[in-house]
Amino acid sequence: MSELICSGCPTLLFYNRGASNIRCPSCNRLNSTRSANQIAHLTCGQCRTTLMHPPGASTVQCATCRYVNHVRDARPQTVLVENPKTLDDKGKLVSNVVVGVTSWKR
């Protein structure tokens, strides 16, 4: 079994992993399950409700108690920064690329 939040209302839907679509019984909206694996979970720090949010979110407000939860994503991300090219001492263009790793902790 897997779960997702309906795109038409805040209903939590459960479905078999093989399903490609699921219809919400509350609002009758047809939801694609393809994006369901792009949902992250956390437990509210105040009322312990399980919350779902898109990966990369820095905060999530609980709909039950309104507490603002800070997301602690421990998965490192590779970051590539490409600055404008510069000229070296011989007049050749030189790439200025920096690669780093971040844990998205703020």
Side-chain angles (χ1 to χ4, degrees):
M1 293 295 289
S2 195
E3 59 190 36
L4 63 83
I5 295 177
C6 177
S7 60
C9 69
T11 302
L12 179 62
L13 305 171
F14 292 92
Y15 63 93
N16 290 327
R17 285 193 186 264
S20 58
N21 296 300
I22 182 170
R23 187 167 303 277
C24 177
S26 298
C27 70
N28 209 32
R29 177 100 176 229
L30 187 63
N31 294 271
S32 172
T33 61
R34 286 179 290 193
S35 63
N37 61 355
Q38 298 174 2
I39 301 291
H41 296 81
L42 68 86
T43 302
C44 178
Q46 185 167 319
C47 71
R48 310 301 295 163
T49 299
T50 299
L51 306 173
M52 298 170 68
H53 63 89
S58 59
T59 59
V60 178
Q61 185 177 24
C62 179
T64 304
C65 69
R66 303 285 187 214
Y67 181 75
V68 176
N69 295 272
H70 294 278
V71 179
R72 289 175 180 76
D73 191 357
R75 294 174 299 167
Q77 297 268 331
T78 302
V79 178
L80 173 69
V81 178
E82 185 174 4
N83 292 311
K85 293 181 179 183
T86 57
L87 293 174
D88 67 5
D89 55 345
K90 296 179 183 175
K92 289 185 178 180
L93 280 176
V94 178
S95 294
N96 189 355
V97 178
V98 178
V99 177
V101 178
T102 181
S103 63
W104 294 109
K105 292 183 180 178
R106 293 184 171 109

